Amino acid sequence: MSYRFDVLTLFPALFDGLRQESLIGKALETQIISLALHNWRAFATDRHSTVDDAPFGGGAGLVLKPDPLVKCLRAEVPADSRKILLSPSGRRFDQKLAQQWSQLSGITLICGRYEGFDQRIEAHVDEVVSIGDFVLNGGEVAAMAVMEAVARLLPGVIGNAESLTEESFADGLLEYPQFTRPRDFEGQTVPDVLLSGNHAAIAQWRLEQRMARTRAVRPDLLREPVTK
Ligand code: ADE
């Protein structure tokens, strides 16, 4: 059974590149995942297929109307799929959430647009999630980021499963620096320990590097409890 991604978007063509190229493209081809795109404009009932309207109380921009979106969810998305609304006002997405969601049979990602969505839509989703403290013009790029983070954790998507346990965040620390040939690049040389063949010393050096890098650029990660 494929892991099923459902995506609600008013701009399905934005997903064309993702479907053809990249890790997602390959996982679709091998049927490890499936992707169903739903344009909820099809569920608008007026002559102009309106999906947004002016906010009650006034204010800038248009707000996504609840009815066409919720109708689309009911009609086209499996009832047991975890429904995630992408919004800068949501809980922060992280590797732990990606891991949790990769254990499910699929997720539904709902991409907002314009200035926001009618608050009553939240009653029809399981979670509201943000990919970071910045504002995108819509949820599509955020949905793609979530899809990639989840898909690469599924068995068979990444050739070398070991790289999953070694990478940044797998145990709450950032990754150690990596080097490949040449040994000397314009005067920058590879640390001697990596050429020593001493595996214990290399492991020790890498752990120290991870701690130092995490302390320097992401001290907040050291304060979080380590869960695995
Ligand atoms: N939509 C707009 N900005 C977003 C963000 N930072 N995360 C998720 N969805 C968004």
Side-chain angles (χ1 to χ4, degrees):
M1 268 289 274
S2 291
Y3 187 96
R4 177 172 169 148
F5 289 102
D6 286 86
V7 177
L8 268 70
T9 171
L10 295 171
F11 298 91
L14 284 175
F15 291 82
D16 285 352
L18 192 79
R19 279 203 286 193
Q20 283 150 32
E21 307 284 339
S22 82
L23 174 142
I24 299 281
K26 191 79 189 294
L28 282 167
E29 207 177 283
T30 54
Q31 294 180 16
I32 297 175
I33 64 169
S34 69
L35 170 59
L37 296 168
H38 312 274
N39 187 341
W40 75 85
R41 193 179 291 281
F43 290 82
T45 45
D46 65 312
R47 213 154 47 87
H48 303 291
S49 299
T50 310
V51 290
D52 50 16
D53 206 342
F56 280 120
L62 296 171
V63 173
L64 290 169
K65 291 158 67 69
D67 28 328
L69 196 157
V70 170
K71 270 192 193 127
C72 178
L73 266 182
R74 287 195 181 118
E76 297 194 345
V77 167
D80 62 346
S81 181
R82 189 160 192 87
K83 293 168 198 71
I84 298 144
L85 181 60
L86 294 151
S87 160
S89 317
R91 157 188 184 194
R92 177 84 71 85
F93 180 66
D94 62 11
Q95 190 66 20
K96 221 179 298 173
L97 266 186
Q99 257 147 13
Q100 282 171 21
W101 293 349
S102 73
Q103 307 296 314
L104 306 173
S105 58
I107 54 174
T108 298
L109 298 164
I110 303 160
C111 307
R113 273 273 146 180
Y114 312 121
E115 309 303 320
F117 49 84
D118 188 290
Q119 181 59 36
R120 292 164 291 183
I121 289 171
E122 267 197 42
H124 298 269
V125 307
D126 299 299
E127 268 180 275
V128 186
V129 162
S130 164
I131 62 161
D133 293 339
F134 45 82
V135 180
L136 302 166
N137 218 25
E140 281 77 8
V141 170
M144 290 185 213
V146 170
M147 278 178 65
E148 184 151 316
V150 172
R152 62 192 293 289
L153 298 176
L154 301 172
V157 171
I158 287 197
N160 181 4
E162 208 175 84
S163 64
L164 291 178
T165 53
E166 287 209 348
E167 66 195 2
S168 295
F169 302 117
D171 56 6
L173 292 175
L174 301 184
E175 212 172 342
Y176 51 78
Q178 303 257 41
F179 298 87
T180 184
R181 276 184 282 267
R183 283 192 189 187
D184 184 327
F185 174 65
E186 298 179 350
Q188 286 192 282
T189 55
V190 176
D192 288 336
V193 63
L194 299 179
L195 311 171
S196 68
N198 181 340
H199 296 296
I202 291 170
Q204 177 64 27
W205 180 84
R206 285 179 166 166
L207 180 60
E208 283 164 16
Q209 291 289 318
R210 299 183 70 203
M211 307 266 274
R213 184 178 271 197
T214 308
R215 212 176 292 123
V217 302
R218 290 295 306 278
D220 55 301
L221 290 177
L222 295 173
R223 287 192 290 273
E224 278 178 21
V226 175
T227 52
K228 220 176 164 184

